[in-house]
Amino acid sequence: MPGKRSAARAFPRLIPGGLDTGACGPLESIIRDMALHMRGSVFLLSLLLAAGCDRGDHPRQIGRPAPDFTISDSGRTLQLSSYRGRVVLLNFWASWCAPCVEEIPALNQLQREMPQLVVVGVDVDEDPAAYQRFLAQHEVDFLTIRDAQRRSNALYGTFVFPDTYAIDRGGQIRRKFVSAQDWTSPEIVDYLSHL
């Protein structure tokens, strides 16, 4: 049974690290290019996976000050730090996101049942018409604003939606909720009422 070494002798220009160090043939050049691209792809994949490690509900930001931002859209301006002194539930969402649509009724209900809490929804849609249609169709009752440049979610490392951050009265991130939640569950309501 031929091994790698015999294959390298039979096809020296085709096997990386082969015995022949002569001129590159077109196939060897293609293989070398593919190997370089694969190394680059593995590196990029590693970076993406490392970034995804922070997607869990205990990211590195827990216990740290919530990054402040100011968003202006359609004549309205929202500055996150203006809610200091109140518990904030910061929800990043998009109109095309099915789990985002799923949790809207529970977020609406949570805001009604806990008026001392501020639910702030940041939509990342680029299209202002899609954002307005979504608000009308889903009767969003909590405070929302559109960040088409997606700067605010980038400050939090959020690129998959929905992601929600519980921010205490002092402006510290206390918890991250990944994906859609039942915001009216006794566990979540109890947690938020003790912040």
Side-chain angles (χ1 to χ4, degrees), residues 57-121:
D57 59 357
H58 297 289
R60 293 181 299 259
Q61 298 161 316
I62 300 296
R64 294 190 178 166
D68 192 22
F69 58 82
T70 301
I71 302 171
S72 295
D73 180 49
S74 301
R76 292 181 356 171
T77 299
L78 181 142
Q79 183 174 11
L80 183 64
S81 62
S82 69
Y83 297 100
R84 184 86 28 98
R86 297 181 71 186
V87 174
V88 174
L89 196 64
L90 177 61
N91 177 261
F92 292 104
W93 62 279
S95 66
W96 42 261
C97 162
C100 300
V101 174
E102 176 186 320
E103 72 177 356
I104 293 294
L107 283 167
N108 282 338
Q109 185 176 344
L110 178 68
Q111 183 64 87
R112 284 190 301 274
E113 291 178 4
M114 295 185 73
Q116 72 278 14
L117 173 85
V118 180
V119 177
V120 176

Short mmCIF file of all heavy atoms in Angstrom, two decimals, residues 57-121:
data_model
loop_
_atom_site.label_atom_id
_atom_site.label_comp_id
_atom_site.label_asym_id
_atom_site.label_seq_id
_atom_site.Cartn_x
_atom_site.Cartn_y
_atom_site.Cartn_z
N ASP A 57 -24.82 34.06 27.82
CA ASP A 57 -25.47 35.01 28.72
C ASP A 57 -24.53 35.56 29.79
O ASP A 57 -24.95 36.32 30.65
CB ASP A 57 -26.73 34.40 29.35
CG ASP A 57 -26.45 33.15 30.15
OD1 ASP A 57 -25.29 32.72 30.17
OD2 ASP A 57 -27.38 32.62 30.74
N HIS A 58 -23.25 35.20 29.77
CA HIS A 58 -22.28 35.74 30.71
C HIS A 58 -21.06 36.28 29.96
O HIS A 58 -19.95 35.78 30.12
CB HIS A 58 -21.85 34.68 31.73
CG HIS A 58 -22.97 34.20 32.57
ND1 HIS A 58 -23.55 34.98 33.54
CD2 HIS A 58 -23.65 33.05 32.58
CE1 HIS A 58 -24.53 34.32 34.12
NE2 HIS A 58 -24.62 33.14 33.55
N PRO A 59 -21.25 37.31 29.14
CA PRO A 59 -20.11 37.83 28.39
C PRO A 59 -19.14 38.59 29.30
O PRO A 59 -19.43 38.85 30.47
CB PRO A 59 -20.76 38.78 27.38
CG PRO A 59 -21.97 39.27 28.08
CD PRO A 59 -22.46 38.07 28.88
N ARG A 60 -18.02 38.97 28.74
CA ARG A 60 -16.99 39.70 29.48
C ARG A 60 -17.51 41.03 30.03
O ARG A 60 -16.94 41.59 30.94
CB ARG A 60 -15.79 39.96 28.58
CG ARG A 60 -15.04 38.71 28.19
CD ARG A 60 -13.86 39.07 27.31
NE ARG A 60 -14.28 39.73 26.10
CZ ARG A 60 -14.38 39.13 24.92
NH1 ARG A 60 -14.08 37.88 24.80
NH2 ARG A 60 -14.75 39.81 23.85
N GLN A 61 -18.59 41.55 29.47
CA GLN A 61 -19.09 42.87 29.87
C GLN A 61 -19.86 42.86 31.20
O GLN A 61 -20.11 43.91 31.76
CB GLN A 61 -20.02 43.43 28.79
CG GLN A 61 -19.31 43.63 27.48
CD GLN A 61 -20.31 43.73 26.35
OE1 GLN A 61 -21.25 42.95 26.27
NE2 GLN A 61 -20.11 44.68 25.48
N ILE A 62 -20.24 41.71 31.69
CA ILE A 62 -21.01 41.64 32.93
C ILE A 62 -20.23 42.33 34.05
O ILE A 62 -19.05 42.06 34.24
CB ILE A 62 -21.33 40.18 33.31
CG1 ILE A 62 -22.15 39.50 32.21
CG2 ILE A 62 -22.04 40.10 34.66
CD1 ILE A 62 -23.51 40.07 31.97
N GLY A 63 -20.91 43.21 34.77
CA GLY A 63 -20.28 43.93 35.87
C GLY A 63 -19.53 45.17 35.45
O GLY A 63 -18.97 45.88 36.28
N ARG A 64 -19.52 45.44 34.17
CA ARG A 64 -18.83 46.64 33.65
C ARG A 64 -19.86 47.69 33.24
O ARG A 64 -21.02 47.37 32.99
CB ARG A 64 -17.98 46.27 32.43
CG ARG A 64 -16.84 45.35 32.81
CD ARG A 64 -15.89 45.18 31.69
NE ARG A 64 -14.77 44.34 32.12
CZ ARG A 64 -13.93 43.79 31.30
NH1 ARG A 64 -14.03 43.99 30.00
NH2 ARG A 64 -12.95 43.05 31.76
N PRO A 65 -19.43 48.94 33.13
CA PRO A 65 -20.36 49.99 32.70
C PRO A 65 -20.90 49.70 31.29
O PRO A 65 -20.14 49.27 30.41
CB PRO A 65 -19.52 51.26 32.69
CG PRO A 65 -18.36 50.97 33.60
CD PRO A 65 -18.12 49.49 33.48
N ALA A 66 -22.18 49.93 31.12
CA ALA A 66 -22.80 49.74 29.79
C ALA A 66 -22.25 50.81 28.86
O ALA A 66 -22.26 52.00 29.20
CB ALA A 66 -24.32 49.87 29.91
N PRO A 67 -21.75 50.42 27.69
CA PRO A 67 -21.27 51.43 26.74
C PRO A 67 -22.39 52.41 26.39
O PRO A 67 -23.50 52.01 26.06
CB PRO A 67 -20.86 50.61 25.52
CG PRO A 67 -20.58 49.23 26.05
CD PRO A 67 -21.56 49.05 27.18
N ASP A 68 -22.09 53.69 26.51
CA ASP A 68 -23.08 54.71 26.21
C ASP A 68 -23.11 54.98 24.71
O ASP A 68 -22.11 54.81 24.02
CB ASP A 68 -22.76 56.00 26.96
CG ASP A 68 -23.90 57.00 26.92
OD1 ASP A 68 -25.07 56.58 26.72
OD2 ASP A 68 -23.64 58.20 27.10
N PHE A 69 -24.25 55.37 24.22
CA PHE A 69 -24.39 55.75 22.82
C PHE A 69 -25.53 56.76 22.69
O PHE A 69 -26.39 56.85 23.55
CB PHE A 69 -24.66 54.53 21.93
CG PHE A 69 -25.88 53.73 22.32
CD1 PHE A 69 -27.15 54.11 21.91
CD2 PHE A 69 -25.75 52.59 23.09
CE1 PHE A 69 -28.27 53.37 22.27
CE2 PHE A 69 -26.86 51.84 23.46
CZ PHE A 69 -28.12 52.24 23.04
N THR A 70 -25.48 57.49 21.60
CA THR A 70 -26.55 58.42 21.24
C THR A 70 -26.95 58.08 19.82
O THR A 70 -26.09 57.97 18.95
CB THR A 70 -26.07 59.88 21.33
OG1 THR A 70 -25.63 60.13 22.67
CG2 THR A 70 -27.19 60.84 20.96
N ILE A 71 -28.25 57.89 19.61
CA ILE A 71 -28.77 57.59 18.28
C ILE A 71 -29.79 58.65 17.93
O ILE A 71 -30.66 58.99 18.74
CB ILE A 71 -29.48 56.21 18.25
CG1 ILE A 71 -28.52 55.10 18.69
CG2 ILE A 71 -30.04 55.93 16.86
CD1 ILE A 71 -29.20 53.77 18.89
N SER A 72 -29.69 59.17 16.72
CA SER A 72 -30.69 60.09 16.20
C SER A 72 -31.33 59.46 14.98
O SER A 72 -30.63 58.96 14.09
CB SER A 72 -30.05 61.43 15.82
OG SER A 72 -29.54 62.05 16.96
N ASP A 73 -32.67 59.49 14.95
CA ASP A 73 -33.40 58.91 13.84
C ASP A 73 -34.75 59.60 13.72
O ASP A 73 -35.48 59.72 14.70
CB ASP A 73 -33.60 57.41 14.06
CG ASP A 73 -34.37 56.74 12.94
OD1 ASP A 73 -34.00 56.97 11.76
OD2 ASP A 73 -35.34 56.03 13.22
N SER A 74 -35.07 60.07 12.54
CA SER A 74 -36.37 60.69 12.25
C SER A 74 -36.72 61.80 13.24
O SER A 74 -37.83 61.87 13.76
CB SER A 74 -37.49 59.65 12.24
OG SER A 74 -37.22 58.66 11.28
N GLY A 75 -35.75 62.65 13.54
CA GLY A 75 -36.00 63.78 14.42
C GLY A 75 -36.01 63.45 15.90
O GLY A 75 -36.24 64.31 16.74
N ARG A 76 -35.76 62.18 16.26
CA ARG A 76 -35.69 61.78 17.67
C ARG A 76 -34.26 61.43 18.02
O ARG A 76 -33.51 60.93 17.18
CB ARG A 76 -36.56 60.54 17.92
CG ARG A 76 -38.02 60.77 17.79
CD ARG A 76 -38.80 59.52 18.06
NE ARG A 76 -37.93 58.36 18.29
CZ ARG A 76 -38.33 57.20 18.72
NH1 ARG A 76 -39.59 56.99 18.95
NH2 ARG A 76 -37.50 56.20 18.90
N THR A 77 -33.91 61.67 19.26
CA THR A 77 -32.57 61.32 19.74
C THR A 77 -32.71 60.54 21.03
O THR A 77 -33.53 60.89 21.89
CB THR A 77 -31.72 62.59 19.97
OG1 THR A 77 -31.60 63.28 18.72
CG2 THR A 77 -30.34 62.24 20.48
N LEU A 78 -31.92 59.50 21.15
CA LEU A 78 -31.92 58.69 22.36
C LEU A 78 -30.48 58.56 22.83
O LEU A 78 -29.60 58.19 22.05
CB LEU A 78 -32.48 57.30 22.06
CG LEU A 78 -32.56 56.34 23.25
CD1 LEU A 78 -33.82 55.51 23.17
CD2 LEU A 78 -31.35 55.44 23.31
N GLN A 79 -30.24 58.90 24.10
CA GLN A 79 -28.93 58.69 24.71
C GLN A 79 -29.13 57.73 25.87
O GLN A 79 -29.90 58.00 26.79
CB GLN A 79 -28.33 59.99 25.21
CG GLN A 79 -26.94 59.78 25.77
CD GLN A 79 -26.25 61.07 26.15
OE1 GLN A 79 -26.86 62.14 26.18
NE2 GLN A 79 -24.96 60.97 26.42
N LEU A 80 -28.45 56.59 25.81
CA LEU A 80 -28.64 55.55 26.81
C LEU A 80 -28.38 56.06 28.23
O LEU A 80 -29.14 55.77 29.15
CB LEU A 80 -27.75 54.35 26.51
CG LEU A 80 -27.91 53.17 27.46
CD1 LEU A 80 -29.32 52.59 27.37
CD2 LEU A 80 -26.87 52.10 27.18
N SER A 81 -27.34 56.85 28.42
CA SER A 81 -26.98 57.30 29.78
C SER A 81 -28.04 58.21 30.40
O SER A 81 -28.04 58.41 31.61
CB SER A 81 -25.62 58.00 29.77
OG SER A 81 -25.67 59.15 28.95
N SER A 82 -28.96 58.72 29.60
CA SER A 82 -30.02 59.57 30.16
C SER A 82 -30.99 58.76 31.03
O SER A 82 -31.79 59.34 31.76
CB SER A 82 -30.79 60.30 29.05
OG SER A 82 -31.56 59.38 28.30
N TYR A 83 -30.90 57.45 30.98
CA TYR A 83 -31.77 56.59 31.80
C TYR A 83 -31.06 56.10 33.07
O TYR A 83 -31.59 55.26 33.78
CB TYR A 83 -32.28 55.41 30.97
CG TYR A 83 -33.13 55.90 29.83
CD1 TYR A 83 -32.62 55.99 28.55
CD2 TYR A 83 -34.43 56.33 30.06
CE1 TYR A 83 -33.38 56.48 27.51
CE2 TYR A 83 -35.21 56.82 29.03
CZ TYR A 83 -34.67 56.90 27.75
OH TYR A 83 -35.43 57.41 26.74
N ARG A 84 -29.88 56.64 33.35
CA ARG A 84 -29.16 56.28 34.57
C ARG A 84 -30.07 56.59 35.76
O ARG A 84 -30.76 57.58 35.79
CB ARG A 84 -27.86 57.10 34.65
CG ARG A 84 -26.95 56.80 35.78
CD ARG A 84 -25.94 55.67 35.61
NE ARG A 84 -25.44 55.30 34.33
CZ ARG A 84 -24.29 55.68 33.79
NH1 ARG A 84 -23.52 56.53 34.41
NH2 ARG A 84 -23.89 55.21 32.63
N GLY A 85 -30.08 55.69 36.72
CA GLY A 85 -30.98 55.82 37.86
C GLY A 85 -32.21 54.93 37.72
O GLY A 85 -32.98 54.77 38.67
N ARG A 86 -32.39 54.36 36.54
CA ARG A 86 -33.48 53.42 36.28
C ARG A 86 -32.90 52.13 35.72
O ARG A 86 -31.84 52.13 35.11
CB ARG A 86 -34.47 54.02 35.27
CG ARG A 86 -35.15 55.28 35.82
CD ARG A 86 -36.13 55.87 34.86
NE ARG A 86 -37.31 55.01 34.74
CZ ARG A 86 -38.28 55.24 33.86
NH1 ARG A 86 -38.22 56.27 33.04
NH2 ARG A 86 -39.32 54.44 33.80
N VAL A 87 -33.61 51.04 35.94
CA VAL A 87 -33.20 49.77 35.36
C VAL A 87 -33.59 49.81 33.88
O VAL A 87 -34.71 50.20 33.53
CB VAL A 87 -33.88 48.58 36.06
CG1 VAL A 87 -33.56 47.28 35.34
CG2 VAL A 87 -33.44 48.51 37.52
N VAL A 88 -32.66 49.42 33.01
CA VAL A 88 -32.89 49.44 31.57
C VAL A 88 -32.74 48.03 31.02
O VAL A 88 -31.80 47.30 31.37
CB VAL A 88 -31.88 50.37 30.85
CG1 VAL A 88 -32.02 50.29 29.33
CG2 VAL A 88 -32.04 51.81 31.33
N LEU A 89 -33.67 47.66 30.17
CA LEU A 89 -33.58 46.42 29.42
C LEU A 89 -33.31 46.84 27.98
O LEU A 89 -34.20 47.35 27.30
CB LEU A 89 -34.87 45.61 29.54
CG LEU A 89 -34.79 44.15 29.13
CD1 LEU A 89 -33.84 43.39 30.06
CD2 LEU A 89 -36.16 43.51 29.18
N LEU A 90 -32.07 46.69 27.54
CA LEU A 90 -31.64 47.13 26.22
C LEU A 90 -31.72 45.96 25.25
O LEU A 90 -30.98 44.99 25.38
CB LEU A 90 -30.20 47.67 26.30
CG LEU A 90 -29.55 48.11 25.00
CD1 LEU A 90 -30.32 49.27 24.35
CD2 LEU A 90 -28.09 48.51 25.26
N ASN A 91 -32.63 46.08 24.28
CA ASN A 91 -32.94 44.98 23.36
C ASN A 91 -32.54 45.37 21.94
O ASN A 91 -33.06 46.35 21.40
CB ASN A 91 -34.44 44.68 23.44
CG ASN A 91 -34.88 43.61 22.47
OD1 ASN A 91 -35.40 43.92 21.41
ND2 ASN A 91 -34.71 42.36 22.83
N PHE A 92 -31.61 44.61 21.35
CA PHE A 92 -31.21 44.83 19.96
C PHE A 92 -32.01 43.87 19.09
O PHE A 92 -32.01 42.66 19.34
CB PHE A 92 -29.71 44.59 19.78
CG PHE A 92 -28.86 45.61 20.47
CD1 PHE A 92 -28.21 45.30 21.65
CD2 PHE A 92 -28.71 46.88 19.95
CE1 PHE A 92 -27.42 46.24 22.30
CE2 PHE A 92 -27.93 47.83 20.58
CZ PHE A 92 -27.28 47.51 21.76
N TRP A 93 -32.68 44.41 18.06
CA TRP A 93 -33.57 43.59 17.24
C TRP A 93 -33.57 44.08 15.80
O TRP A 93 -32.98 45.10 15.47
CB TRP A 93 -34.98 43.59 17.82
CG TRP A 93 -35.63 44.95 17.87
CD1 TRP A 93 -35.45 45.93 18.80
CD2 TRP A 93 -36.55 45.50 16.92
NE1 TRP A 93 -36.21 47.03 18.50
CE2 TRP A 93 -36.90 46.80 17.36
CE3 TRP A 93 -37.13 45.01 15.75
CZ2 TRP A 93 -37.78 47.61 16.66
CZ3 TRP A 93 -38.02 45.83 15.06
CH2 TRP A 93 -38.34 47.10 15.52
N ALA A 94 -34.28 43.33 14.94
CA ALA A 94 -34.44 43.69 13.53
C ALA A 94 -35.80 43.20 13.04
O ALA A 94 -36.30 42.19 13.54
CB ALA A 94 -33.33 43.07 12.69
N SER A 95 -36.37 43.89 12.09
CA SER A 95 -37.71 43.53 11.59
C SER A 95 -37.71 42.20 10.85
O SER A 95 -38.73 41.53 10.79
CB SER A 95 -38.25 44.63 10.68
OG SER A 95 -37.48 44.72 9.51
N TRP A 96 -36.58 41.78 10.31
CA TRP A 96 -36.48 40.53 9.55
C TRP A 96 -36.13 39.33 10.44
O TRP A 96 -35.97 38.23 9.96
CB TRP A 96 -35.43 40.67 8.44
CG TRP A 96 -34.19 41.39 8.87
CD1 TRP A 96 -33.89 42.69 8.65
CD2 TRP A 96 -33.08 40.84 9.62
NE1 TRP A 96 -32.66 42.99 9.20
CE2 TRP A 96 -32.15 41.88 9.80
CE3 TRP A 96 -32.80 39.58 10.13
CZ2 TRP A 96 -30.95 41.71 10.48
CZ3 TRP A 96 -31.61 39.41 10.82
CH2 TRP A 96 -30.70 40.46 10.98
N CYS A 97 -36.04 39.55 11.73
CA CYS A 97 -35.61 38.53 12.68
C CYS A 97 -36.82 37.86 13.31
O CYS A 97 -37.54 38.49 14.09
CB CYS A 97 -34.73 39.21 13.73
SG CYS A 97 -34.50 38.31 15.25
N ALA A 98 -37.06 36.59 12.99
CA ALA A 98 -38.24 35.87 13.50
C ALA A 98 -38.27 35.79 15.03
O ALA A 98 -39.32 36.04 15.64
CB ALA A 98 -38.32 34.48 12.88
N PRO A 99 -37.16 35.47 15.72
CA PRO A 99 -37.21 35.46 17.19
C PRO A 99 -37.52 36.85 17.78
O PRO A 99 -38.13 36.95 18.84
CB PRO A 99 -35.82 34.99 17.60
CG PRO A 99 -35.29 34.25 16.43
CD PRO A 99 -35.88 34.93 15.23
N CYS A 100 -37.10 37.90 17.08
CA CYS A 100 -37.41 39.27 17.54
C CYS A 100 -38.91 39.49 17.52
O CYS A 100 -39.48 40.05 18.47
CB CYS A 100 -36.72 40.30 16.66
SG CYS A 100 -34.91 40.17 16.62
N VAL A 101 -39.55 39.07 16.44
CA VAL A 101 -41.00 39.21 16.31
C VAL A 101 -41.69 38.41 17.42
O VAL A 101 -42.64 38.88 18.05
CB VAL A 101 -41.48 38.71 14.93
CG1 VAL A 101 -43.00 38.71 14.84
CG2 VAL A 101 -40.87 39.55 13.81
N GLU A 102 -41.17 37.24 17.69
CA GLU A 102 -41.74 36.34 18.70
C GLU A 102 -41.78 36.97 20.09
O GLU A 102 -42.73 36.76 20.84
CB GLU A 102 -40.90 35.06 18.72
CG GLU A 102 -41.27 34.05 19.75
CD GLU A 102 -40.26 32.90 19.76
OE1 GLU A 102 -39.83 32.46 18.68
OE2 GLU A 102 -39.91 32.46 20.88
N GLU A 103 -40.77 37.75 20.44
CA GLU A 103 -40.71 38.27 21.81
C GLU A 103 -41.35 39.65 22.00
O GLU A 103 -41.45 40.12 23.13
CB GLU A 103 -39.28 38.26 22.33
CG GLU A 103 -38.36 39.27 21.74
CD GLU A 103 -36.97 39.24 22.37
OE1 GLU A 103 -36.72 38.48 23.32
OE2 GLU A 103 -36.12 39.99 21.88
N ILE A 104 -41.80 40.30 20.94
CA ILE A 104 -42.39 41.64 21.05
C ILE A 104 -43.57 41.67 22.02
O ILE A 104 -43.63 42.54 22.90
CB ILE A 104 -42.78 42.20 19.66
CG1 ILE A 104 -41.53 42.47 18.82
CG2 ILE A 104 -43.64 43.45 19.79
CD1 ILE A 104 -40.63 43.56 19.31
N PRO A 105 -44.56 40.76 21.93
CA PRO A 105 -45.68 40.83 22.86
C PRO A 105 -45.24 40.73 24.33
O PRO A 105 -45.77 41.44 25.19
CB PRO A 105 -46.56 39.63 22.47
CG PRO A 105 -46.22 39.37 21.04
CD PRO A 105 -44.76 39.70 20.91
N ALA A 106 -44.26 39.90 24.63
CA ALA A 106 -43.79 39.75 26.00
C ALA A 106 -43.05 41.01 26.46
O ALA A 106 -43.18 41.42 27.61
CB ALA A 106 -42.90 38.52 26.14
N LEU A 107 -42.29 41.64 25.57
CA LEU A 107 -41.61 42.90 25.92
C LEU A 107 -42.65 44.00 26.18
O LEU A 107 -42.50 44.79 27.12
CB LEU A 107 -40.64 43.33 24.82
CG LEU A 107 -39.32 42.58 24.77
CD1 LEU A 107 -38.58 42.86 23.48
CD2 LEU A 107 -38.45 42.92 25.98
N ASN A 108 -43.69 44.05 25.34
CA ASN A 108 -44.77 45.01 25.56
C ASN A 108 -45.41 44.80 26.93
O ASN A 108 -45.62 45.75 27.69
CB ASN A 108 -45.86 44.87 24.48
CG ASN A 108 -45.48 45.51 23.17
OD1 ASN A 108 -44.63 46.39 23.10
ND2 ASN A 108 -46.12 45.06 22.10
N GLN A 109 -45.71 43.55 27.25
CA GLN A 109 -46.36 43.23 28.52
C GLN A 109 -45.43 43.55 29.70
O GLN A 109 -45.87 44.10 30.71
CB GLN A 109 -46.78 41.76 28.56
CG GLN A 109 -47.56 41.40 29.80
CD GLN A 109 -48.06 39.97 29.78
OE1 GLN A 109 -48.09 39.32 28.74
NE2 GLN A 109 -48.45 39.48 30.95
N LEU A 110 -44.16 43.24 29.57
CA LEU A 110 -43.20 43.54 30.63
C LEU A 110 -43.17 45.04 30.90
O LEU A 110 -43.18 45.47 32.06
CB LEU A 110 -41.80 43.04 30.25
CG LEU A 110 -40.70 43.34 31.25
CD1 LEU A 110 -40.91 42.55 32.54
CD2 LEU A 110 -39.34 43.04 30.64
N GLN A 111 -43.14 45.86 29.85
CA GLN A 111 -43.10 47.31 30.03
C GLN A 111 -44.36 47.81 30.74
O GLN A 111 -44.28 48.68 31.60
CB GLN A 111 -42.93 48.02 28.68
CG GLN A 111 -42.80 49.52 28.79
CD GLN A 111 -41.55 49.95 29.54
OE1 GLN A 111 -40.49 50.08 28.94
NE2 GLN A 111 -41.64 50.17 30.84
N ARG A 112 -45.53 47.22 30.41
CA ARG A 112 -46.77 47.61 31.08
C ARG A 112 -46.78 47.19 32.55
O ARG A 112 -47.22 47.94 33.41
CB ARG A 112 -47.98 47.00 30.36
CG ARG A 112 -48.36 47.69 29.07
CD ARG A 112 -49.70 47.21 28.53
NE ARG A 112 -49.75 45.79 28.26
CZ ARG A 112 -49.37 45.21 27.12
NH1 ARG A 112 -48.92 45.95 26.14
NH2 ARG A 112 -49.46 43.91 26.96
N GLU A 113 -46.28 45.99 32.84
CA GLU A 113 -46.31 45.46 34.20
C GLU A 113 -45.21 46.03 35.09
O GLU A 113 -45.34 46.00 36.32
CB GLU A 113 -46.21 43.93 34.18
CG GLU A 113 -47.44 43.27 33.61
CD GLU A 113 -47.32 41.75 33.53
OE1 GLU A 113 -46.29 41.19 34.00
OE2 GLU A 113 -48.26 41.13 33.02
N MET A 114 -44.14 46.52 34.50
CA MET A 114 -43.02 47.08 35.28
C MET A 114 -42.70 48.48 34.76
O MET A 114 -41.66 48.70 34.12
CB MET A 114 -41.79 46.18 35.20
CG MET A 114 -41.95 44.82 35.82
SD MET A 114 -40.41 43.87 35.81
CE MET A 114 -39.47 44.71 37.08
N PRO A 115 -43.55 49.46 35.05
CA PRO A 115 -43.32 50.80 34.52
C PRO A 115 -42.04 51.46 35.06
O PRO A 115 -41.54 52.41 34.46
CB PRO A 115 -44.57 51.57 34.94
CG PRO A 115 -45.18 50.80 36.04
CD PRO A 115 -44.77 49.37 35.85
N GLN A 116 -41.52 50.96 36.18
CA GLN A 116 -40.27 51.50 36.73
C GLN A 116 -39.07 51.08 35.88
O GLN A 116 -37.99 51.66 35.99
CB GLN A 116 -40.09 51.07 38.19
CG GLN A 116 -39.75 49.62 38.40
CD GLN A 116 -40.95 48.65 38.38
OE1 GLN A 116 -42.05 49.00 37.95
NE2 GLN A 116 -40.71 47.43 38.83
N LEU A 117 -39.25 50.09 35.03
CA LEU A 117 -38.22 49.58 34.13
C LEU A 117 -38.36 50.30 32.78
O LEU A 117 -39.46 50.60 32.35
CB LEU A 117 -38.45 48.08 33.93
CG LEU A 117 -37.61 47.35 32.90
CD1 LEU A 117 -36.28 46.91 33.52
CD2 LEU A 117 -38.35 46.12 32.42
N VAL A 118 -37.23 50.56 32.13
CA VAL A 118 -37.27 51.16 30.80
C VAL A 118 -36.83 50.10 29.79
O VAL A 118 -35.69 49.63 29.85
CB VAL A 118 -36.35 52.38 30.68
CG1 VAL A 118 -36.40 52.97 29.28
CG2 VAL A 118 -36.70 53.43 31.71
N VAL A 119 -37.73 49.71 28.92
CA VAL A 119 -37.36 48.81 27.82
C VAL A 119 -36.97 49.70 26.66
O VAL A 119 -37.77 50.52 26.20
CB VAL A 119 -38.52 47.87 27.42
CG1 VAL A 119 -38.11 47.01 26.23
CG2 VAL A 119 -38.95 47.00 28.59
N VAL A 120 -35.74 49.56 26.21
CA VAL A 120 -35.22 50.33 25.08
C VAL A 120 -34.91 49.35 23.96
O VAL A 120 -34.03 48.49 24.10
CB VAL A 120 -33.95 51.12 25.45
CG1 VAL A 120 -33.38 51.84 24.23
CG2 VAL A 120 -34.23 52.11 26.57
N GLY A 121 -35.64 49.46 22.87
CA GLY A 121 -35.40 48.62 21.71
C GLY A 121 -34.60 49.37 20.67
O GLY A 121 -34.95 50.49 20.30
#
